[in-house]
Amino acid sequence: MTIWFEKASGLIVKSSSVTYSKKGQLRGEAHYLDYRDVQGMKMPFMLRQSAGSQTVVMRLDKVSRTPDLPSNQFPIPADVQLLIDTR
């Protein structure tokens, strides 16, 4: 995968990758557009993906962050916790 960043903001503007299948290579691109501030974090509200002759455009009306999740909602795997503890 190759990722392009906007120099001034550091935001991702494009990514491209190659997928391999029985029918051969398929190149795909994604363009990240319409960045907006969501609780202090820039999020793209539009994503345009293309692969071959197909293009899909996703537009988001609302994005929200949920920082108040219970700490046990996503438990840290034991092997990852071991790495954290050894820091």
Side-chain angles (χ1 to χ4, degrees), residues 6-66:
E6 181 182 41
K7 189 174 184 177
S9 68
L11 297 172
I12 296 173
V13 293
K14 177 181 169 183
S15 64
S16 69
S17 62
V18 177
T19 303
Y20 298 92
S21 71
K22 292 179 182 179
K23 294 185 177 186
Q25 290 185 25
L26 181 61
R27 294 188 179 277
E29 281 189 359
H31 295 263
Y32 305 82
L33 307 153
D34 191 19
Y35 277 91
R36 300 180 198 172
D37 186 73
V38 178
Q39 295 170 288
M41 183 181 217
K42 295 288 186 183
M43 302 290 292
F45 275 65
M46 183 174 165
L47 177 63
R48 186 175 63 236
Q49 295 178 304
S50 59
S53 62
Q54 293 184 327
T55 298
V56 175
V57 177
M58 290 177 271
R59 293 182 183 158
L60 305 176
D61 294 323
K62 180 180 177 184
V63 174
S64 62
R65 294 175 51 205
T66 311

